[in-house]
């Protein structure tokens, strides 16, 4: 439960980030705008990891850390999704 709780909680914003990235990749916007959802997710993950490590500590802090790691994985998959070449 310690592992699956943060994973399931991270799936909600992670799927939203991937959908926003997919929607922006279909539009003709700059690369920075396409990378923006992933960048904000990485910043949020870093802040959550810091809060869990420094302020909360213990098992709940570990849950924050796992949540941040799963958000970081969703953000990195968002970067891969943006950077892959388009099939023509």
């Amino acid at each position: 439960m310690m592992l699956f709780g943060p994973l399931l909680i991270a799936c909600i914003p992670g799927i939203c980030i991937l959908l926003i990235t997919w929607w922006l990749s279909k539009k003709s916007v700059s690369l920075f705008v396409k990378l923006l959802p992933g960048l904000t997710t990485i910043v949020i993950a870093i802040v959550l990891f810091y809060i869990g490590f420094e302020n909360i500590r213990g098992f709940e802090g570990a849950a924050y850390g796992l949540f941040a790691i799963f958000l970081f994985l969703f953000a990195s998959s968002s970067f891969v999704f943006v950077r892959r070449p388009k099939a023509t």
Side-chain angles (χ1 to χ4, degrees), residues 1 5 14 20-22 24 28 37 39 53 62 72 74 78 83 86:
M1 192 64 174
I20 291 170
T21 305
W22 173 76
L24 288 173
S28 60
L39 290 173
F53 185 72
F72 184 77
F74 275 112
S78 171
R83 298 294 294 176
K86 290 187 178 184

Side-chain angles (χ1 to χ4, degrees), residues 3-21:
L3 183 65
F4 293 123
L7 173 63
L8 293 176
I9 299 286
C11 283
I12 296 168
I15 290 172
C16 291
I17 293 301
L18 290 176
L19 285 174
I20 291 170
T21 305

Side-chain angles (χ1 to χ4, degrees), residues 36-75:
L36 204 56
L39 290 173
T40 55
T41 306
I42 285 184
V43 170
I44 290 170
I46 290 170
V47 168
L48 282 174
F49 186 80
Y50 175 75
I51 288 171
F53 185 72
E54 188 65 30
N55 293 338
I56 297 175
R57 301 186 185 214
F59 284 108
E60 189 177 350
Y64 271 76
L66 288 172
F67 179 59
I69 289 170
F70 290 132
L71 279 181
F72 184 77
L73 291 174
F74 275 112

